[in-house]
Each structure stands twice: as structure tokens, then as C-alpha cells.
């Protein structure tokens, strides 16, 4: 099976890009050379690489070696890097998978002997790397509502997709079809401030629950990174599941901000209406995974 035949996962991503100064040597020099080389991979390249290990029989759920690739963003002349850390993220994803899938299904996807060896490898690696954390978080078939708290609608970037154009002059230079892009990018200091403000509002208005717990978890994760980092929310493969017209009109971060503002003002009815509208729309996306 070729990689092009593997279906694209419908996943969204929350990424942190740290400035080069945040990395110790010799890693800093590696990322500097990497960025200067200019041969920078895309999110699709990362996806293909991670899927490649699932093709063999038995599958390889966790790469043998850690990735030396990263996403790079240059903002105001400062180079920021988001390491893939594919191996660590694969271990974390496998833990989550074991919580979500019934045992018979999990055994069919990943034999028990493979999972036991993978767990042993992770335990050994974690003992040698107790402070390791991923620069990228992912969610399948939705964007967690708590992620939108980190962003303002002004930080939203939507790029329409394009259709393939025929090679009119026969020189082989054919314009390829591209998918739409929807993402947000914020300064770390702004993202942390919004998390803190959101938590104050939620704790003053609601009982402890998954929404508050999830936002606390995101806030703790952000504290692990350099204060001059960038935080990016990318709809990723979800753009293939949501009609482009709906993506163009999707302002979920603005709706979350509206709901928090309503709670702050004591308008519970307006907050509930906003939250219901938001969750209903994303529930519709999540239900697509069960469509035949």
C-alpha cells in the first residue's frame, strides 16, 4: 500500500513554537542549521511519516528513533521552532487509544505483545527523560472548546482552497489542488493571560467539571514553554470534513469569547445559548466519524 492511499486523519492541532534561545546547545545549533537550510517539511509530510509505521505487519506504533524534524515560523525576524517529537507523541496517543477502544478492537489494531513491548520501552525512556513534554497536541474529529480560549478572533487566518488547473501550455507546470486552511496564532503571553481570565470567569460561574479541568491542563502545559513562544491552533485535516463555506464562516474563538463575556456579566442565558450553539456545531462534525 502506498502512503498516498492512506486516509488523512481528521485531526486538529495545538502547537507551540519556541524561539531558538529557548533550546540548550547542541539542540539550538541543530535547529538553527535546520531552519537556515530552507528544506522545511509541511504538516502533510509529518502525517505521511507517522502513517508509514502503521503499514508494516505487525504495525510499529512508536518510531524507533525520535524525529529530528520540526515546523518553523519566522515572525518579526525571530525564528521559532516547533519540534515534532513524533516518538513521544506516539506513546501518548497509544495511552489515549487504550482508554478509548474496546479490548477486542484494540487487540485487532495492535496485538497485546506489541502494546506490552511499547509500554516497557516508554517506561524506560520516561525514567531517563522525566521532564519531556510534547510541543504539539492533537484532537480527532473536533477542536476542543477549551483551545479556543487561547485566541482572539483577530488572530484567525483563513485561506480558501484552490482547484487544479490544466496544463494549458504543455510545459508540465500544472497548478495543484490545495485544501483550505483555518488557523489561529497568538503570542504566548496573550494565550496565558486569556487562560487565566477564562478560568476566573468559569470558576466564579460554574461548578468544577471537564471544561474547567481541561483548561487548567492546557494552562499548565503552556507554562512549560518560553514566554516569548507562539501558540498555534490549526484545523488540520478537519478542513476535509467541513464544507469550505462553513469554514469561512467559522468564528468559534469569537463565540467562546462571547460566552465568557456573558458569564462575566452575569448573563447566564446568553452564555448558555452561545455554548449550546457552539457545541451543537462541533457535535455535528464529530458525528461524521460514524457516517458510512
Amino acid at each position: 500500500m502506498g502512503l498516498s492511499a492512506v486516509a488523512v486523519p481528521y485531526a486538529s492541532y495545538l502547537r507551540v513554537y519556541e524561539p531558538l534561545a529557548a533550546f540548550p546547545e547542541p539542540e539550538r545549533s541543530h535547529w538553527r542549521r535546520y531552519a537556515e537550510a530552507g528544506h522545511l517539511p509541511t504538516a502533510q509530510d509529518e502525517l505521511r511519516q507517522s502513517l508509514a509505521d502503521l503499514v508494516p505487519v505487525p504495525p510499529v506504533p512508536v518510531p524507533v528513533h525520535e524525529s529530528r524534524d520540526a515546523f518553523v515560523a519566522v515572525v518579526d525576524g525571530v525564528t521559532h521552532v516547533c519540534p515534532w517529537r513524533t516518538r513521544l507523541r506516539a506513546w501518548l496517543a497509544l495511552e489515549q487509544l487504550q482508554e478509548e477502544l474496546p479490548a477486542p478492537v484494540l487487540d485487532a489494531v495492535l496485538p497485546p505483545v506489541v502494546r506490552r513491548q511499547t509500554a516497557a520501552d516508554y517506561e524506560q525512556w520516561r525514567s531517563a527523560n522525566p521532564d519531556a513534554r510534547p510541543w504539539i497536541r492533537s484532537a480527532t474529529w473536533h477542536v476542543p472548546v477549551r483551545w479556543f480560549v487561547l485566541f482572539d478572533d483577530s488572530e484567525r487566518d483563513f485561506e480558501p482552497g484552490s482547484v487544479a488547473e490544466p496544463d494549458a501550455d504543455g510545459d508540465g507546470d500544472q497548478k495543484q489542488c490545495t485544501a483550505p486552511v483555518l488557523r489561529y496564532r497568538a503570542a504566548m503571553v496573550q494565550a496565558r493571560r486569556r487562560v487565566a481570565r477564562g478560568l476566573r470567569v468559569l470558576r466564579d460561574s460554574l461548578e468544577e467539571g471537564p471544561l474547567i479541568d481541561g483548561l487548567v491542563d492546557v494552562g499548565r502545559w503552556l507554562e512549560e514553554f518560553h514566554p516569548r513562544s507562539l501558540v498555534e491552533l490549526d484545523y488540520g485535516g478537519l478542513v476535509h470534513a467541513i464544507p469550505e463555506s462553513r469554514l469561512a464562516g467559522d468564528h468559534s474563538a469569537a463565540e467562546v469569547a462571547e460566552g465568557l463575556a456573558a458569564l462575566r456579566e452575569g448573563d447566564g442565558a446568553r452564555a448558555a445559548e452561545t455554548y449550546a450553539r457552539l457545541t451543537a456545531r462541533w457535535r455535528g462534525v464529530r458525528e461524521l466519524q460514524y457516517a458510512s
Side-chain angles (χ1 to χ4, degrees), residues 8-14 47 89 93 96-97 100-101 137-147 234-238 241-242 282-283 285-290:
V8 175
Y10 296 105
S12 59
Y13 303 93
L14 189 63
L47 177 61
R89 287 165 54 211
Q96 183 178 358
L97 191 67
E100 295 178 351
L101 291 182
R137 289 188 167 195
S138 61
T140 55
W141 287 102
H142 74 300
V143 177
V145 171
R146 59 186 176 273
W147 289 5
D234 184 357
Y235 274 45
L238 292 181
I242 304 173
W282 282 106
R283 187 183 306 113
V285 176
R286 297 194 74 165
E287 290 175 350
L288 291 174
Q289 66 183 302
Y290 305 113

Side-chain angles (χ1 to χ4, degrees), residues 192 195 214-224:
R192 288 176 178 171
V195 168
L215 193 53
V216 168
D217 177 62
V218 170
R220 288 174 176 167
W221 179 63
L222 295 180
E223 290 295 332
E224 297 285 336

Side-chain angles (χ1 to χ4, degrees), residues 101-259:
L101 291 182
V105 176
L106 186 61
D107 289 345
V109 175
L110 291 172
V113 64
V114 174
R115 300 204 306 276
R116 285 194 295 270
Q117 183 59 56
T118 300
D121 292 343
Y122 181 46
E123 184 176 352
Q124 181 179 9
W125 182 90
R126 177 56 82 178
S127 65
N129 300 273
D131 298 324
R133 81 287 198 220
W135 277 256
I136 304 173
R137 289 188 167 195
S138 61
T140 55
W141 287 102
H142 74 300
V143 177
V145 171
R146 59 186 176 273
W147 289 5
F148 290 114
V149 176
L150 282 59
F151 303 94
D152 183 79
D153 190 62
S154 63
E155 295 158 347
R156 177 181 181 274
D157 178 25
F158 174 69
E159 301 175 10
S162 63
V163 297
E165 296 181 358
D167 182 13
D169 53 12
D171 62 359
D173 187 16
Q174 179 178 352
K175 184 178 180 181
Q176 299 299 312
C177 178
T178 61
V181 173
L182 180 53
R183 60 189 168 212
Y184 296 80
R185 184 178 287 174
M188 176 64 77
V189 64
Q190 293 288 355
R192 288 176 178 171
R193 185 176 295 123
R194 290 165 185 152
V195 168
R197 290 174 177 170
L199 281 172
R200 283 198 298 270
V201 172
L202 292 174
R203 284 171 167 161
D204 288 344
S205 308
L206 306 174
E207 296 182 355
E208 294 288 332
L211 183 58
I212 293 177
D213 293 343
L215 193 53
V216 168
D217 177 62
V218 170
R220 288 174 176 167
W221 179 63
L222 295 180
E223 290 295 332
E224 297 285 336
F225 301 98
H226 193 282
R228 294 187 179 179
S229 300
L230 305 172
V231 188
E232 179 182 80
L233 167 56
D234 184 357
Y235 274 45
L238 292 181
V239 300
H240 299 284
I242 304 173
E244 185 167 327
S245 59
R246 286 181 54 189
L247 285 172
D250 184 320
H251 290 266
S252 293
E255 291 182 272
V256 169
E258 178 186 349

